[in-house]
Short mmCIF file of all heavy atoms in Angstrom, two decimals:
data_model
loop_
_atom_site.label_atom_id
_atom_site.label_comp_id
_atom_site.label_asym_id
_atom_site.label_seq_id
_atom_site.Cartn_x
_atom_site.Cartn_y
_atom_site.Cartn_z
N GLY O 6 -28.50 174.40 308.66
CA GLY O 6 -29.49 175.32 308.53
C GLY O 6 -30.01 175.77 309.94
O GLY O 6 -31.01 176.56 310.07
N GLY O 7 -29.39 175.27 311.00
CA GLY O 7 -29.75 175.65 312.34
C GLY O 7 -31.08 175.06 312.72
O GLY O 7 -31.64 175.42 313.87
N GLY O 8 -31.56 174.21 312.02
CA GLY O 8 -32.97 173.58 312.34
C GLY O 8 -33.00 172.68 313.49
O GLY O 8 -32.00 172.33 314.11
N PRO O 9 -34.25 172.38 314.05
CA PRO O 9 -34.32 171.55 315.17
C PRO O 9 -33.81 170.16 315.07
O PRO O 9 -33.51 169.45 316.14
CB PRO O 9 -35.89 171.62 315.43
CG PRO O 9 -36.50 171.75 314.16
CD PRO O 9 -35.38 172.73 313.42
N ARG O 10 -33.56 169.72 313.82
CA ARG O 10 -33.10 168.27 313.69
C ARG O 10 -31.58 168.21 313.48
O ARG O 10 -31.05 167.26 313.05
CB ARG O 10 -33.88 167.66 312.48
CG ARG O 10 -35.37 167.60 312.78
CD ARG O 10 -36.10 166.69 311.87
NE ARG O 10 -35.52 165.39 311.83
CZ ARG O 10 -35.94 164.37 312.69
NH1 ARG O 10 -36.88 164.58 313.54
NH2 ARG O 10 -35.23 163.18 312.52
N ALA O 11 -30.89 169.30 313.73
CA ALA O 11 -29.43 169.31 313.52
C ALA O 11 -28.80 168.23 314.44
O ALA O 11 -27.92 167.53 313.97
CB ALA O 11 -28.88 170.72 313.83
N PHE O 12 -29.21 168.15 315.72
CA PHE O 12 -28.69 167.11 316.49
C PHE O 12 -29.61 165.92 316.42
O PHE O 12 -30.76 166.05 316.81
CB PHE O 12 -28.57 167.60 317.95
CG PHE O 12 -27.42 168.46 318.12
CD1 PHE O 12 -27.58 169.82 318.02
CD2 PHE O 12 -26.23 167.93 318.57
CE1 PHE O 12 -26.54 170.75 318.21
CE2 PHE O 12 -25.15 168.87 318.83
CZ PHE O 12 -25.30 170.23 318.59
N GLU O 13 -29.11 164.91 315.85
CA GLU O 13 -29.96 163.63 315.81
C GLU O 13 -29.85 162.71 317.00
O GLU O 13 -30.84 162.18 317.39
CB GLU O 13 -29.51 162.81 314.59
CG GLU O 13 -29.67 163.57 313.25
CD GLU O 13 -29.19 162.77 312.06
OE1 GLU O 13 -28.29 161.90 312.20
OE2 GLU O 13 -29.77 162.88 311.01
N GLU O 14 -28.73 162.69 317.62
CA GLU O 14 -28.62 161.79 318.71
C GLU O 14 -27.37 162.24 319.59
O GLU O 14 -26.31 162.54 319.09
CB GLU O 14 -28.35 160.38 318.28
CG GLU O 14 -28.25 159.36 319.33
CD GLU O 14 -28.15 157.84 318.73
OE1 GLU O 14 -27.71 157.73 317.58
OE2 GLU O 14 -28.42 156.90 319.52
N VAL O 15 -27.47 162.09 320.91
CA VAL O 15 -26.42 162.25 321.85
C VAL O 15 -26.39 161.12 322.79
O VAL O 15 -27.35 160.82 323.38
CB VAL O 15 -26.57 163.62 322.61
CG1 VAL O 15 -25.51 163.78 323.67
CG2 VAL O 15 -26.66 164.78 321.73
N GLU O 16 -25.16 160.54 322.89
CA GLU O 16 -25.06 159.35 323.88
C GLU O 16 -23.98 159.76 324.89
O GLU O 16 -22.88 160.05 324.56
CB GLU O 16 -24.56 158.12 323.14
CG GLU O 16 -25.58 157.52 322.20
CD GLU O 16 -25.03 156.24 321.46
OE1 GLU O 16 -24.17 155.54 322.12
OE2 GLU O 16 -25.40 156.01 320.38
N TRP O 17 -24.45 159.63 326.16
CA TRP O 17 -23.47 159.90 327.23
C TRP O 17 -24.06 159.15 328.51
O TRP O 17 -25.29 159.24 328.77
CB TRP O 17 -23.36 161.41 327.61
CG TRP O 17 -22.43 161.61 328.77
CD1 TRP O 17 -21.04 161.54 328.72
CD2 TRP O 17 -22.79 161.98 330.11
NE1 TRP O 17 -20.54 161.91 329.94
CE2 TRP O 17 -21.57 162.16 330.73
CE3 TRP O 17 -24.00 162.13 330.70
CZ2 TRP O 17 -21.62 162.40 332.17
CZ3 TRP O 17 -24.02 162.39 332.00
CH2 TRP O 17 -22.80 162.61 332.78
#
Side-chain angles (χ1 to χ4, degrees):
R10 301 196 51 94
F12 285 88
E13 294 180 330
E14 183 178 19
V15 176
E16 292 180 31
W17 179 77

